[in-house]
Amino acid sequence: MSDMAGPVSTLALAGGALRGLLRRGGAFPDATLEAGGVWLRREAIDAYAQGCGFGADAGVPLTFPHILAFPLQMRLMLAGDFPYPVMGLVHLSNRIRQHAPLAAGDRLAIAVRTGRLLAHDKGQAFSLETTARRDGQVVWEGTSVYLRLGKVGQGEPAPLVEGGTADTPVETWTLPPDLGRRYARVSGDANPIHTSALGARLFGFKRAIAHGMWVKARAVAALTQGRPVQAGEVEVAFRAPVFLPGEIQLLAGPEGPERAFEIKDAQGARTHLRGRLGLKTQDPSC
């Protein structure tokens, strides 16, 4: 992994956040960062799968390549010409498309680039685009939309995640207070709003909050029921924070080519996440 983009340290994140406090905006850059030799390591896959609820036979989870791209995303947003501070950004939505099966031992070339400015009534939204290639062919793509709170932003409207009814209870999960620290160890995302109650309070949260990408991965794990994914798409909108400790429930619509799902609180009164999932899977016994 010597030629893979390494993880961003907590010190680097803190330094970038402090520099970001002095930023006053500026042009949204046209920037791309690449890592040409990113291996899908069995031990990393297993640790991530266990932390997110995927079974031992699930293969490479659909959401796993996102954490391989995370160091590149952070370096792009910590660059001196990036107009928005990392700390305080709100993750609005995430879409993943997988075009072919992935396996431990695969070597990927990953590129992260700035996407588009997007209008939102609570500030300026923008997208980051990720592409993973194997032997020159695109096998995985991801789009993350972030929001910088402030005056109404410019650009096309930020995407909305539409879907059908999701009202059938699937699973309920009790989340421990250290979930953020556990996920940080397997994902590299050590943002203090997830790992520390004090850090969360500094940014206006009453307690630490779960990583949105953990919540997404946990839902995908439950809905795929341990079946390896050949190809598919999953898109979610993050609607409200999930506080730690806490209890949340997964609800879903009927199975079909595309399945709507939601994460709600234990009482079903608040929607934390809404998404849609369409998968091509394979029987793990084959």
Side-chain angles (χ1 to χ4, degrees), residues 6 10 26 39 47 57 71 73 92 100 113 122 160 170 181 240 247 251 253 255 277 280:
T10 303
W39 294 95
D57 296 324
Q73 288 194 3
L92 288 180
R113 63 177 178 84
K122 293 185 178 179
L160 298 174
V170 178
R181 294 190 292 277
E247 185 174 88
L251 300 98
E255 294 193 48
L277 175 68
K280 182 179 180 181

Side-chain angles (χ1 to χ4, degrees), residues 154-172:
Q154 58 179 304
E156 298 178 11
L160 298 174
V161 177
E162 304 291 348
T165 302
D167 54 7
T168 301
V170 178
E171 291 185 3
T172 298

Side-chain angles (χ1 to χ4, degrees), residues 62 96-100 229-234 277-280:
L62 181 67
I96 286 170
R97 290 176 175 171
Q98 184 167 309
H99 303 288
V229 172
Q230 293 182 307
E233 178 174 346
V234 56
L277 175 68
L279 293 177
K280 182 179 180 181

Side-chain angles (χ1 to χ4, degrees), residues 206-233:
K206 61 183 180 181
R207 300 196 304 274
I209 63 174
H211 293 76
M213 290 302 295
W214 179 90
V215 179
K216 177 177 182 175
R218 188 67 188 87
V220 171
L223 294 172
T224 55
Q225 299 178 338
R227 294 170 293 180
V229 172
Q230 293 182 307
E233 178 174 346

